[in-house]
């Protein structure tokens, strides 16, 4: 059962709710491959994407998910809207509410932005990433992909590698995976991980070799640092040589390890090209699963709030 | 006009007094404190079962005027002070324009004279525009009655300039109130760097960002032989540093706010900006250390850091929300409930930290005590009244408090400012 107004994060979702989303996504996935199965079950729904932070791929994924279910999907066009004239997030939300929007999908650079919006509007709010907090649809598509290949979560070793301390993807996955019984290891250079994340029930380590050795799943996160003061590591060259995954380092991993990445990949930094395109990589499958999971979420939220 | 306060427990730490006595006020000053005064009076206040204490003094208040009158004004802020039992409040200089010259100091004094319900003492900025680049007009501000210097809201980043300021301020006997925060270490942090930040996905503010400056500025103060007063201490590490500095003879005093001894990071409810303040709510271990430091007199002052904000500045994205909470109308009940009822402080020690000690730091002998001839600033406290804090009943323009609905014990039954009753039981007369 799914009876929520909003989807803000995995922290507050129960195991049952997560499984309901994943099961629904299974049905949705067929509609992507087979256009004749596409439906208009969300025909009466209006959806708006509000991307205060750019992400063409996530926004497209949501818009297509809405399209495949027959919903009306619009983009707020944050760059050109009154947001730039200083309108507050709450006022923007209330305005959209009055215009009859049923679902607001928000991406924002500030932690808690989706939460604030949800508290102030009648529409359902989907968090498409807020600050360093959560990115629930990404984690759900990751869970869906893992379930597809591994069939279960219990006792599975999942290693998430990279810029952990600022990663909402790592956090949402940590919440979701631990609820489903997986062992989660967050790994990266000491300056990109935070010991206090252990309180979320995960392992935190800078021992990359150890983190790879027993992993059933390795998830690389995008490393992107502008040259700046207080760089947390000396440079990309050093990063890739010490913390990047390549064919050589992968030799110590399990034969059937899944290589995942939320994209877009920095080839040659967090993952070498031969790993991105290698036989263990499911990075492209994740993209398709992303649309399926977002269809499932739109459907479940709409049904729950009719 | 004569006022007689009968039969209360007079707690006057500056004079070492704690016994049942009467207090007679004549005009604006205290005429007599004695066992049984039978003089005629225009008004008699029955203080049986209550504490009669020197009017409370708050060293750390943001009145927001001039410049941010939509948050608070000298009038509304001082009304909140009177309602909360305070008779003297020190106004922080992060106004607009910044209180960095004698004209703004004079403006605040003039407005206060005309509109304020309690005594308002302006604090001057340490540097011009609080920009940390050159000294503000310190001597000229001192000449027109600035009571202290502070860069509150931030530290003076340049250690050499801070050292110069401490040395220069000493010449005018102006205390320096130091907000301790290394900006780069604090980074973009929103709440304490700890489990709660990990859970909520908010960036953390580490304890070292406070402790580095606490340490630096005590060393600077010692180096120039000047006193220094540290604002809103929030970490166990800072407490330890202050303890050590006192042992080696540094002239350091420190304050703690009611929220830092009442709440911890674990109380932060999801993205409710009424829990956002600077320094942030720390861990339970830090809260214990603050209470122990109050008990050990490592921290000798309770100050509110009353920081009113407009609702729009709190009802928004947590990261966009302004720092701080209101405190004038909640400080006394929280202090009684948490510290006296909680067994950390005696009534006498509490009164000392809210009157005698702040007066001593300000170098004032006419307030913070009940000596004959002192200003008739007196607070009568009913320590037994139990109730729930209600932000809607407050006089402050700001309603930004995490304490709404909290059950507390103790209230200012009567606030007397300059010999006149200004407020009773949270209501202005
Ligand atoms: Zn401050």
């Amino acid at each position: 059962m799914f009876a929520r107004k909003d989807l803000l994060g995995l922290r507050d979702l129960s195991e049952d709710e997560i499984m309901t989303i994943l099961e629904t996504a299974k049905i949705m996935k067929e509609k992507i491959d087979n256009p004749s199965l596409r439906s208009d079950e969300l025909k009466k729904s209006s959806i708006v994407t509000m991307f205060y932070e750019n992400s063409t791929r996530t926004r497209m994924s949501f818009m297509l998910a809405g399209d495949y279910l027959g919903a009306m999907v619009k983009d707020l066009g944050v760059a050109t809207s009154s947001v730039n004239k200083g309108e507050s997030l709450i006022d923007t939300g209330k305005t959209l509410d009055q215009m009859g929007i049923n679902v607001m999908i928000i991406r924002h650079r500030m932690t808690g932005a989706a939460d604030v919006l949800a508290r102030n509007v009648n529409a359902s709010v989907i968090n498409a990433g807020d600050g360093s907090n959560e990115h629930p649809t990404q984690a759900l598509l990751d869970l869906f992909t893992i379930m597809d290949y591994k069939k279960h979560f219990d006792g599975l070793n999942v290693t998430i590698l990279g810029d952990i301390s600022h990663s909402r993807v790592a956090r949402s996955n940590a919440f979701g995976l631990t609820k489903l019984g997986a062992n989660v290891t967050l790994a990266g250079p000491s300056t990109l991980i935070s010991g206090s994340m252990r309180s979320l029930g995960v392992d935190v380590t800078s021992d990359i070799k150890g983190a790879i050795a027993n992993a059933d799943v390795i998830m690389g996160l995008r490393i992107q640092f502008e040259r700046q003061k207080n760089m947390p590591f000396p440079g990309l060259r050093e990063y890739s040589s010490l913390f990047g995954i390549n064919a050589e380092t992968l030799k110590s991993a399990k034969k059937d390890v899944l290589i995942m990445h939320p994209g877009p990949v920095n080839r040659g930094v967090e993952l070498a090209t031969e790993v991105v395109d290698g036989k263990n990589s499911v990075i492209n499958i994740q993209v398709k699963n992303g649309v399926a999971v977002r269809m499932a979420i739109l459907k479940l939220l709409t049904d729950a709030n009719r | 006009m004569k006022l007689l306060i009968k039969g209360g427990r007079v707690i006057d730490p500056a004079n070492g007094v704690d016994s049942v006595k009467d207090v007679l006020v004549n005009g604006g000053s205290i005429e007599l404190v004695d066992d049984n005064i039978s003089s005629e009076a225009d008004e008699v206040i029955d203080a049986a079962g209550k504490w009669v204490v020197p009017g409370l003094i708050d060293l750390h208040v943001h009145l927001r005027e001039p410049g941010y009158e939509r948050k608070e004004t000298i009038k509304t802020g001082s009304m909140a002070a009177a309602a909360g039992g305070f008779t003297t409040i020190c106004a922080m200089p992060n106004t607009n324009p910044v209180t960095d010259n004698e004209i703004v100091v004079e403006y605040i004094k003039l407005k206060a004279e005309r509109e304020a319900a309690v005594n308002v003492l302006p604090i001057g900025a340490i540097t011009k525009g609080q920009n940390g680049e050159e000294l503000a007009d310190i001597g000229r501000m001192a000449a027109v009655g600035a009571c202290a210097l502070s860069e509150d809201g931030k530290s003076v980043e340049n250690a050499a300039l801070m050292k110069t300021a401490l040395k220069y301020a000493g010449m005018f006997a102006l205390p320096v109130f130091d907000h301790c925060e290394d900006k780069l270490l604090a980074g973009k942090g929103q709440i304490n760097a700890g489990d709660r930040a990990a859970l909520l996905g908010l960036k953390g503010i580490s304890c070292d960002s406070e402790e580095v400056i606490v340490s630096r500025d005590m060393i600077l103060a010692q180096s120039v032989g000047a006193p220094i007063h540290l604002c809103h201490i929030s970490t166990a590490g800072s407490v330890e540093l202050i303890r050590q500095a006192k042992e080696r003879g540094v002239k350091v005093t420190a304050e703690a706010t009611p929220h830092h001894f009442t709440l911890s990071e674990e109380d932060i409810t999801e993205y409710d900006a009424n829990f956002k303040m600077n320094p942030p709510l720390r861990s339970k271990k830090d809260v214990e250390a603050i209470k122990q430091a109050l008990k050990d007199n490592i921290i000798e002052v309770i100050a509110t850091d009353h920081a009113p904000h407009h609702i729009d500045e709190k009802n928004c994205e947590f990261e966009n929300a302004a720092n701080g909470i209101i405190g004038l109308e909640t400080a006394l009940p929280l202090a009684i409930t948490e510290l006296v009822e909680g067994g950390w402080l005696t009534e006498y020690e509490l009164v000392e930290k809210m009157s005698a000690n702040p007066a001593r730091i300000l170098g004032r002998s006419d307030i913070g005590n009940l000596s004959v001839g002192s200003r008739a600033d007196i607070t009568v406290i009913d320590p037994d009244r139990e109730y729930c804090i209600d932000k809607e009943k407050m006089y402050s323009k700001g309603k930004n408090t995490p304490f709404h609905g909290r059950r507390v014990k103790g209230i200012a039954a009567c606030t007397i400012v300059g010999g006149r009753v200004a407020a009773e039981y949270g209501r202005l007369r």
Side-chain angles (χ1 to χ4, degrees), chain B residues 264-284:
Chain B
S264 78
E265 58 181 347
E266 291 173 34
D267 294 304
I268 300 173
T269 50
E270 268 175 45
Y271 313 117
D272 178 353
N274 284 323
F275 290 89
K276 180 177 175 178
M277 52 279 272
N278 186 18
L281 298 174
R282 301 288 189 182
S283 71
K284 280 198 160 151

Side-chain angles (χ1 to χ4, degrees), chain A residues 11 90 110-111 119 132-133 171, chain B residues 198-201 271 315 320:
Chain A
R11 188 174 65 228
I90 293 171
M110 289 181 190
T111 291
R119 270 189 270 130
S132 47
N133 185 28
R171 291 171 48 76
Chain B
L199 187 69
L200 293 178
Y271 313 117
N315 186 27
N320 268 346

Side-chain angles (χ1 to χ4, degrees), chain B residues 60 62 152-153 179 231-232 278-279 305:
Chain B
H60 198 138
H62 296 275
D152 193 55
H179 170 115
C231 299
H232 43 54
N278 186 18
D305 194 1

Side-chain angles (χ1 to χ4, degrees), chain B residues 370-407:
Chain B
L370 298 177
S371 308
V372 169
S374 278
R375 281 184 55 100
D377 292 347
I378 302 167
T379 303
V380 181
I381 297 168
D382 179 346
D384 298 319
R385 171 72 69 97
E386 283 188 61
Y387 57 102
C388 287
I389 289 172
D390 182 355
K391 65 179 180 184
E392 301 307 332
K393 287 192 178 148
M394 293 186 187
Y395 286 94
S396 174
K397 269 194 183 182
K399 305 297 173 204
N400 48 313
T401 175
F403 297 116
H404 180 66
R406 192 182 183 93
R407 190 143 192 94

